[in-house]
Amino acid sequence: MKTLRDKTATREWRVARAPGMLPLLGNALSMGRDPVRFLSSLPRHGDLVELRIGGKRTFLPCHPELVQQVLLNARVFDTGGPMKEKARPILGNGLITSDRTDHKRQRRLVQPAFHPARIATYAHVMHEEVQAQAGTWQAGQVVDVNEVTQALTARITARALFALDIAPHAVAVIQHCLPVIVRGAYRNAVDPTGLLAKLPTPANREFKRALEQMHRLIDGIVEDYRTADRDRGDLVSALLAAEDPESGEKLSDQEIHDQVMTLLLAGIETTASALTWAFHLLAQNPEAEARLHAEVDEVLGDRSPEYKDLPDLRYTQRVFTETLRLYPPAWLYTRTTTTATELGGARLQPGDDIIISPYVLHRIPELFARPEHFDPDRWLPDRAKDVARGAYVPFGAGSRKCIGDVFGITEATLALAAIASRWRLRPLPGTRVTPRPHMSLSTGPLPMRVEPR
Ligand code: HEM
């Protein structure tokens, strides 16, 4: 990747205001109606676009250099704001919700659980689960690909977190509760009044029950692990063993609980949504699909993919990288300015919000030629080196960069290869797919017909 720093040192930034700002409401109506379309329309106005959501000053950096400036300076641009406060009752104080100073300590403690040697161990679980999934289908069957991938990543994440002996029970609870919690968290996050979550509606009651059930499950597991006191080779064992190299401190039971909840919420839906988009894109692009099939046939023969195959599954990995460009599950994340500062020539006040939208950035024609075109080969090393730093940020960047990026990529590559080596997924006539900007950027239900290859 090349840096734009030299090119932009003397640059005149184009700072603009989003069109259509209304008194009091600002751009809230456009954001509420169709946030993906509205935000995607803004880069043509400037490198940095100011919008108002209600009275709140919010900035959208549309130039990779400005994205880098925000993501690499967590002291000035911290995670925060009302979204984070609303997430706290659900996630507790884990990696996503912790404040900057505590986050540093937490990250040091959790990072070893994502060491490459650990990922190789989790890859056994991934291998077993994707192989089992690919073995369940009948020729001609119609499956909801979104449902299948959500269930698959839930099983994989649960088994990677908790050893095999307790996993089946945990998987059932997680599969039942997680979608309810994600839906409730989203309803709460987008409600500007904060009142809807307090009403005794059936949906809110279901959300509360699901949350309590998940908390109970995780408490029970942590207690069980403390009593057994042995390394089961899973993520929770790694969290229990973690010791801060600076202070020698370990994570408390409550901290482990909060990290587990965070990992479940951050890791399952994201990877599943991306995988679903990958199958949709492959079905729309027969040439890419044929190349994927050729690669898996050559690398795997009639075996199921394993961790050691990853370096050879290069096209499969490019398919996933390109899928994350077009449909990044974390299509938007935010920062809040902690102190008066300057960004791209604009003066920012403490409390101003910044929106980073990979979806918007990844479709700017100056950053990616023919941005709407699904072209996995744009990630060939020779071409990828021309992508500017800050232009491709599906996992974020800086100190808050996704801790599960390699986990997610490994899981998705193995799943794509395992399914593509046996099956072709065909769209049903008349199915229209439009991105749904919920917690993750989702396809919604995606029925496809399964054909043997
Ligand atoms: C394709 C799959 C995934 C995508 C696109 C994704 C995306 C992201 C992004 C963009 C962030 C940073 C948000 C910000 O800067 O505010 C993030 C953070 C995080 N992700 Fe992922 N993620 C994925 C998979 C996973 C998996 C599999 C796990 C765990 C098993 C995970 C756990 C986390 C955690 C704990 C954080 C917070 C990190 C921190 O603040 O230190 N993610 N993810």
Side-chain angles (χ1 to χ4, degrees):
M1 291 211 182
K2 68 181 177 187
T3 167
L4 291 193
R5 193 173 298 275
D6 297 340
K7 274 192 182 174
T8 54
T10 54
R11 196 191 155 98
E12 286 284 309
W13 295 109
R14 294 179 307 133
V15 181
R17 285 187 136 209
M21 263 189 210
L22 299 171
L24 296 176
L25 289 172
N27 302 100
L29 289 182
S30 311
M31 270 302 273
R33 254 196 308 264
D34 191 342
V36 174
R37 187 201 283 252
F38 174 62
L39 291 178
S40 300
S41 74
L42 298 181
R44 67 186 137 93
H45 297 286
D47 300 313
L48 182 71
V49 181
E50 180 186 341
L51 49 149
R52 294 278 162 104
I53 302 181
K56 197 81 201 278
R57 265 171 34 120
T58 306
F59 292 85
L60 179 77
C62 302
H63 191 286
E65 174 77 14
L66 300 180
V67 171
Q68 286 283 94
Q69 281 184 31
V70 172
L71 293 182
L72 300 188
N73 190 353
R75 196 182 53 78
V76 176
F77 302 106
D78 198 2
T79 58
M83 296 281 239
K84 187 159 152 178
E85 289 319 310
K86 284 179 182 176
R88 229 183 263 281
I90 300 166
L91 299 177
N93 181 33
L95 279 175
I96 289 179
T97 41
S98 55
D99 293 332
R100 195 174 64 87
T101 42
D102 194 32
H103 175 262
K104 257 188 169 170
R105 178 190 64 90
Q106 291 195 14
R107 186 85 189 206
R108 276 200 303 273
L109 281 158
V110 181
Q111 197 69 56
F114 288 88
H115 186 276
R118 287 271 175 185
I119 303 276
T121 316
Y122 313 143
H124 288 305
V125 169
M126 297 173 188
H127 163 80
E128 281 180 17
E129 288 294 341
V130 297
Q131 190 183 19
Q133 183 62 60
T136 58
W137 290 336
Q138 311 286 321
Q141 184 184 351
V142 172
V143 295
D144 176 351
V145 180
N146 189 43
E147 200 177 284
V148 167
T149 59
Q150 299 286 345
L152 177 66
T153 58
R155 284 198 302 275
I156 289 174
T157 313
R159 285 190 53 197
L161 276 162
F162 322 121
L164 202 61
D165 42 345
I166 40 172
H169 162 64
V171 170
V173 174
I174 291 165
Q175 270 179 348
H176 169 70
C177 294
L178 203 70
V180 178
I181 294 173
V182 170
R183 273 199 306 275
Y186 180 72
R187 267 199 316 274
N188 191 8
V190 296
D191 167 25
T193 65
L195 294 174
L196 293 184
K198 300 196 172 82
L199 300 176
T201 60
N204 283 342
R205 277 201 294 270
E206 193 192 12
F207 169 72
K208 200 164 158 250
R209 269 198 306 274
L211 199 56
E212 282 166 4
Q213 210 179 336
M214 281 284 275
H215 285 318
R216 265 201 311 277
L217 171 81
I218 299 171
D219 279 340
I221 290 172
V222 175
E223 199 183 316
D224 188 45
Y225 271 65
R226 281 271 187 236
T227 319
D229 193 25
R230 66 187 164 94
D231 188 346
R232 304 183 205 211
D234 55 17
L235 238 153
V236 170
S237 298
L239 293 177
L240 278 158
E243 201 173 284
D244 190 336
E246 286 184 12
S247 64
E249 267 177 43
K250 296 189 139 206
L251 289 162
S252 69
D253 284 4
Q254 185 60 48
E255 284 179 320
I256 292 175
H257 176 117
D258 293 352
Q259 301 301 357
V260 168
M261 195 71 184
T262 299
L263 294 170
L264 289 171
L265 260 103
I268 293 178
E269 223 195 52
T270 40
T271 315
S273 297
L275 257 179
T276 309
W277 282 113
F279 287 114
H280 169 70
L281 285 165
L282 286 165
Q284 306 298 315
N285 293 275
E287 217 177 282
E289 187 185 53
R291 284 184 61 193
L292 175 69
H293 290 162
E295 178 174 274
V296 293
D297 291 351
E298 191 192 324
V299 174
L300 304 175
D302 48 17
R303 284 187 303 112
S304 170
E306 296 172 49
Y307 187 65
K308 68 173 169 54
D309 296 313
L310 288 177
D312 297 323
L313 293 168
R314 292 199 193 107
Y315 191 73
T316 315
Q317 297 213 33
R318 291 206 292 281
V319 164
F320 192 62
T321 308
E322 179 68 345
T323 301
L324 291 177
R325 184 184 68 79
L326 279 169
Y327 297 105
W331 72 283
L332 172 156
Y333 39 92
T334 59
R335 295 290 184 271
T336 300
T337 315
T338 56
T339 172
T341 188
E342 185 257 319
L343 181 69
R347 299 221 51 79
L348 268 57
Q349 303 303 322
D352 285 347
D353 283 338
I354 318 278
I355 291 179
I356 305 289
S357 174
Y359 183 93
V360 171
L361 289 162
H362 296 174
R363 287 167 184 259
I364 296 178
E366 289 76 18
L367 303 179
F368 295 96
R370 300 178 67 207
E372 308 293 326
H373 182 57
F374 178 67
D375 176 13
D377 280 346
R378 68 172 88 232
W379 299 104
L380 281 167
D382 237 22
R383 289 175 63 192
K385 72 178 176 358
D386 292 331
V387 175
R389 275 183 214 280
Y392 181 73
V393 282
F395 294 107
S399 56
R400 298 264 179 181
K401 183 167 187 254
C402 179
I403 203 168
D405 53 355
V406 178
F407 185 112
I409 291 169
T410 304
E411 180 182 14
T413 308
L414 294 178
L416 271 174
I419 291 172
S421 70
R422 294 179 61 176
W423 304 101
R424 179 180 280 116
L425 303 187
R426 287 272 145 265
L428 293 191
T431 310
R432 267 196 71 227
V433 180
T434 42
R436 298 186 183 193
H438 288 178
M439 268 323 197
S440 297
L441 192 67
S442 152
T443 56
L446 183 65
M448 293 182 97
R449 191 175 302 283
V450 176
E451 288 175 3
R453 286 190 48 223

